[in-house]
Amino acid sequence: MRARFLITACLALGFTPAMAEMDHSQHDMTGHTAHTGASAHIHHSHRKGMWMLEYRFMRMNMNGLLDGTGNVDSRDISGAFPGTPPTIDPTKSYLMAPTKMRMDMHMLMLMYGLTERLSLMGMVNYRDNRMDMVMHMPMLDMSGTMETRGLGDSLLGAMMTLDDRWTTSLSISLPTGGIDETADMTMTGINPMDGTQVSFTSTNIDVSYPMQLGSGTFDLIPAVTYKDSTDKLGWGTQASYILRLGDNDNGYTLGDRFEIFAWGKYVISPSFLVSGKLTFADWGRIDGRDPSIDPQMSPAGDPDVTGGTRADASLGLNCFFGQGHSVGVEFAVPVHQDLNGPQMENDWTLSFTYQYMR
Ligand SMILES: [Cu+2]
């Protein structure tokens, strides 16, 4: 739906006088090559003195639980005994389980071409996480939602063009995102005896790891990108690694993460390009644990069931308009997931990007 809306918007913009006067020599395929997928996180550098501003919105949706590659019912791994407060069912590992999660990220990035070969980059992001939880009790299910929001980790980086095809980059992630996030949650259910609604509210819950906003550590991110193109076609691959440095203040370290993706794109017209991408990511378990997060409360708070591998396939559409503006959408679905579970299963990821270069 959003893609259809964008196509319509792009077509409308394409017929404005600004487009007719556009200098096409400034907007050639090189520009398209550098910015293949505005929505694809592809590292690139800029000509000397060139600025780029980018806003990216990303929504990741998770649904249900996965152990290895197989689905797990929350009933099989979690449950409570009746009473106040409810105590964990001794035959289950956890008191509650997450059923759904939505992670929203708003990223603002600024790039500047320092020399013909070297570009600098800075990025801040704002996150908004929602997690739905269920607690199975002998007679009823209680469910509720937790939410955390705030500044995430920030990125500073440098990209170096080696030749027409190879780019390397080194970024450092600064721990500006919170790792002491708390949330209130009201759980409600229907009493089967009399049909009345029962509810209770817990306040200041130390939320589980996926609900925290940052890593709490300085992270080093080296990456290398290869790309090539003809007039109409482009392709390439990029590999990156997130190396977590030391332990955070709460006594744990998120797992390192390796990611590689390959993409192909087709230039439909000076204003449009479509792209396809295949991504493979592998990330490690959390090392250590935050003493204030109860590992038996929910699998999301258990460091032992973190880490895994995932492959995503995605389709993207980019549209260029005016003088240096572009918008892009990208939709990704997992084609393979193998998680140290039970962990939340990724369902889809949608991103929207606006870029301005001058
Ligand atoms: Cu850029």
Side-chain angles (χ1 to χ4, degrees):
M1 278 306 106
R2 180 167 279 185
R4 182 173 300 170
F5 168 77
L6 266 167
I7 294 168
T8 315
C10 283
L11 287 173
L13 285 162
F15 292 112
T16 61
M19 185 70 178
E21 289 161 16
M22 198 179 71
D23 179 2
H24 280 260
S25 65
Q26 292 291 307
H27 192 243
D28 59 9
M29 297 310 155
T30 337
H32 288 243
T33 311
H35 284 244
T36 306
S39 40
H41 272 293
I42 291 161
H43 294 166
H44 55 271
S45 52
H46 284 277
R47 309 290 307 266
K48 184 178 181 204
M50 202 177 200
W51 288 92
M52 185 192 82
L53 179 73
E54 181 181 293
Y55 164 76
R56 184 195 304 267
F57 169 74
M58 194 167 110
R59 171 168 288 186
M60 204 185 277
N61 230 49
M62 281 153 270
N63 201 347
L65 295 163
L66 217 55
D67 190 356
T69 56
N71 288 99
V72 179
D73 194 310
S74 56
R75 249 169 239 285
D76 296 335
I77 55 130
S78 69
F81 268 170
T84 308
T87 50
I88 186 169
D89 181 335
T91 65
K92 309 288 165 70
S93 309
Y94 308 99
L95 180 64
M96 303 180 204
T99 51
K100 277 184 184 167
M101 186 173 179
R102 193 200 74 193
M103 298 174 86
D104 281 354
M105 239 187 276
H106 301 267
M107 291 164 265
L108 197 63
M109 185 210 239
L110 197 64
M111 273 186 83
Y112 178 68
L114 196 66
T115 71
E116 288 295 327
R117 284 169 162 264
L118 184 68
S119 289
L120 301 179
M121 181 272 278
M123 192 188 81
V124 289
N125 78 92
Y126 182 87
R127 310 178 80 138
D128 186 340
N129 300 323
R130 278 172 72 93
M131 189 185 259
D132 293 349
M133 307 282 297
V134 67
M135 184 167 63
H136 300 294
M137 289 165 73
M139 304 288 282
L140 73 157
D141 288 347
M142 304 282 284
S143 58
T145 302
M146 275 192 278
E147 188 162 9
T148 53
R149 55 164 82 108
L151 194 67
D153 289 343
S154 304
L155 219 56
L156 287 175
M159 277 106 199
M160 174 81 103
T161 303
L162 302 178
D163 61 30
D164 285 352
R165 293 177 181 150
W166 292 92
T167 303
T168 56
S169 74
L170 185 64
S171 308
I172 183 153
S173 172
L174 312 174
T176 48
I179 56 167
D180 294 304
E181 297 302 311
T182 58
D184 299 343
M185 179 168 60
T186 299
M187 297 201 94
T188 56
I190 301 295
N191 185 338
M193 305 302 239
D194 55 11
T196 57
Q197 180 174 293
V198 285
S199 77
F200 67 90
T201 300
S202 314
T203 54
N204 284 313
I205 307 164
D206 291 288
V207 296
S208 55
Y209 301 100
M211 291 288 285
Q212 297 293 337
L213 302 171
S215 70
T217 50
F218 286 90
D219 307 324
L220 216 52
I221 310 168
V224 58
T225 311
Y226 172 88
K227 61 174 190 274
D228 202 356
S229 61
T230 63
D231 277 1
K232 289 270 175 201
L233 291 169
W235 59 92
T237 179
Q238 176 171 304
S240 61
Y241 192 85
I242 303 179
L243 178 69
R244 317 277 183 188
L245 305 172
D247 291 349
N248 65 24
D249 290 344
N250 291 348
Y252 68 92
T253 311
L254 294 184
D256 286 356
R257 180 185 174 94
F258 169 73
E259 186 181 283
I260 187 164
F261 61 79
W263 77 89
K265 58 158 188 174
Y266 176 68
V267 178
I268 302 172
S269 77
S271 305
F272 287 102
L273 71 81
V274 285
S275 59
K277 197 173 86 175
L278 205 59
T279 308
F280 174 84
D282 181 277
W283 63 103
R285 279 190 175 83
I286 291 173
D287 184 30
R289 87 174 187 88
D290 183 336
S292 62
I293 300 174
D294 180 356
Q296 284 202 298
M297 177 88 134
S298 145
D302 183 355
D304 290 341
V305 296
T306 51
T309 59
R310 194 172 88 227
D312 284 326
S314 58
L315 270 180
L317 174 72
N318 287 76
C319 159
F320 302 81
F321 60 95
Q323 292 281 352
H325 300 273
S326 71
V327 288
V329 280
E330 191 183 47
F331 187 71
V333 289
V335 288
H336 172 77
Q337 262 183 107
D338 188 348
L339 306 175
N340 305 322
Q343 257 188 83
M344 298 236 69
E345 177 179 6
N346 185 294
D347 229 12
W348 51 260
T349 306
L350 176 73
S351 60
F352 167 82
T353 312
Y354 165 74
Q355 255 182 15
Y356 176 62
M357 276 197 285
R358 57 159 291 156

